[in-house]
């Protein structure tokens, strides 16, 4: 009983993670410009990989493997937005303009 | 002291990831952790030292749960946006003035913003974060400063309580 509950919960979490990976990929294909695509990719990493790993942790149970997987989740949650910043910042500083409205107040700080 | 703190944190993290190494693991890990600790303490934490006390860790857990509460509804909204057959977006770039004084809180805030679907940090100019939003309303939770207050309470380095 306990084992099947564990599998059920893990299955739901992993499927949810895969769903977010799919949404992220779809976003990458459908969204119109660089910045909106970075949105999709970063969230796909954080939510998708996070949920899949959480599902695996449930499956592993509360032993050393489970704790290790939880530590990996922490790593993904710090690493993925950092990579996202690096991408977005590089594009911004290279002068890539986003679609839509830009809050222009006091934009005299060297951004082209 | 700071070097030891950093080295210990790195060693523990490595032991967790590579657990069944036993004492040889500690023997190999300790010198390496010390080396990385020197680098961490002198360049990475040169400005602020994050606290590693138990109360801080408990606060970190509470903050993580709080962050999840704001991530999940935003994720649902972004999913809806992407799945809608007619893709109509109204992206904006906004500037957000940070109240947080210390570097660590600022990094945590930027990461929280990027992790929350719909908002993505682009750059930091002085006291301001430049944030790209998929739709203007995704920026709303930022303006009341609740997340920021919580971050400074958990991670802030003393000057502001």
């Amino acid at each position: 009983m306990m084992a099947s509950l564990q599998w059920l919960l893990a299955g739901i979490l992993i499927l949810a993670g895969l769903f977010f990976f799919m949404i992220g990929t779809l976003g990458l294909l459908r969204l119109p410009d660089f910045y909106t695509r970075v949105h999709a990719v970063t969230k796909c990493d954080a939510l998708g990989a996070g949920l899949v790993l959480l599902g695996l942790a449930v499956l592993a149970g509360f032993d050393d493997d489970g704790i290790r997987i939880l530590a990996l989740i922490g790593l993904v949650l710090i690493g993925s937005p950092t990579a996202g910043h690096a991408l977005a910042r590089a594009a911004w500083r290279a002068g890539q303009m986003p679609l839509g409205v830009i809050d222009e107040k006091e934009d005299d700080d060297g951004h082209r | 002291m700071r070097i030891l703190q950093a080295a210990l944190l790195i060693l523990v993290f490595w032991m967790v990831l590579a657990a069944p190494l036993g004492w040889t693991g500690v023997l190999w890990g300790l010198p390496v952790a010390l080396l990385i600790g020197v680098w961490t303490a002198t360049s990475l934490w040169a400005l602020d030292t994050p606290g590693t006390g138990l109360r801080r860790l408990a606060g970190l857990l509470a903050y993580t749960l709080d962050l999840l509460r704001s991530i999940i509804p935003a994720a649902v909204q972004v999913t809806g946006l992407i799945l809608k057959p007619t893709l109509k977006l109204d992206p904006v770039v906004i500037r957000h003035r940070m109240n947080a004084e210390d570097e660590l809180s600022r990094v945590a805030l930027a990461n929280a913003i990027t992790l929350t679907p719909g908002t993505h940090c682009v750059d930091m100019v002085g006291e301001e974060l430049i944030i790209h939003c998929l739709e203007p309303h995704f920026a709303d939770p930022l303006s009341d400063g609740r997340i920021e207050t919580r971050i400074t309470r958990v991670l802030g380095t003393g000057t502001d309580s």
Side-chain angles (χ1 to χ4, degrees):
Chain A
M1 180 62 200
M2 201 50 207
S4 57
L5 240 158
Q6 205 178 5
W7 276 96
L8 185 71
L9 185 61
I12 290 172
L13 285 169
I14 292 173
L15 280 179
L18 289 179
F19 175 73
F20 277 115
F21 264 122
M22 191 191 77
I23 294 298
T25 313
L26 213 63
L28 183 66
L29 294 171
R30 291 195 71 195
L31 291 172
D33 77 330
F34 178 83
Y35 293 96
T36 49
R37 286 178 182 158
V38 170
H39 273 274
V41 177
T42 313
K43 269 93 236 183
C44 156
D45 262 9
L47 282 168
L51 283 169
V52 170
L53 283 172
L54 198 64
L56 291 178
V58 167
L59 217 52
F62 197 73
D63 61 357
D64 49 349
D65 279 339
I67 293 169
R68 225 168 290 168
I69 294 171
L70 287 183
L72 279 181
I73 294 178
L75 212 60
V76 169
L77 287 188
I78 296 173
S80 145
T82 309
H85 293 316
L87 283 172
R89 196 174 108 129
W92 182 257
R93 298 215 164 165
Q96 172 89 26
M97 294 308 282
L99 290 176
V101 187
I102 300 175
D103 183 356
E104 284 285 0
K105 64 168 190 250
E106 58 182 336
D107 195 5
D108 46 29
D109 41 58
H111 176 247
R112 283 147 293 177
Chain B
M1 186 58 210
R2 254 159 65 158
I3 294 174
L4 280 181
Q5 223 178 5
L8 196 69
L9 209 65
I10 291 160
L11 185 66
V12 167
F13 186 64
W14 185 60
M15 294 297 288
V16 167
L17 286 185
L21 287 172
W23 283 106
T24 39
V26 179
L27 277 181
W28 279 108
L30 200 59
V32 179
L34 272 175
L35 276 179
I36 303 175
V38 170
W39 174 71
T40 312
T42 48
S43 47
L44 214 57
W45 291 355
L47 296 167
D48 307 301
T49 314
T52 43
L54 264 184
R55 244 187 61 216
R56 283 285 175 86
L57 289 180
L60 201 63
L61 197 70
Y63 157 67
T64 310
L65 291 178
D66 201 40
L67 191 61
L68 278 179
R69 264 220 321 269
S70 66
I71 285 180
I72 291 166
V76 172
Q77 286 176 26
V78 172
T79 303
L81 269 181
I82 290 176
L83 285 181
K84 231 182 343 193
T86 51
L87 194 68
K88 270 192 87 176
L89 285 176
D90 183 18
V92 290
V93 175
I94 60 158
R95 286 157 179 270
H96 175 70
R97 180 164 285 278
M98 289 178 289
N99 296 318
E101 298 271 309
D102 57 307
E103 302 270 314
L104 186 70
S105 301
R106 289 179 169 186
V107 170
L109 178 67
N111 260 17
I113 289 168
T114 301
L115 274 175
T116 310
T119 52
H120 192 112
C121 276
V122 173
D123 204 349
M124 188 174 92
V125 180
E127 305 283 301
E128 285 183 327
L129 280 176
I130 297 173
I131 300 164
H132 186 274
C133 305
L134 282 182
E135 303 237 286
H137 68 88
F138 282 117
D140 293 347
L142 259 176
S143 47
D144 69 357
R146 198 174 62 96
I147 295 175
E148 213 171 335
T149 321
R150 195 173 259 271
I151 287 174
T152 26
R153 212 168 50 221
V154 176
L155 295 173
T157 43
T159 47
D160 38 11
S161 55

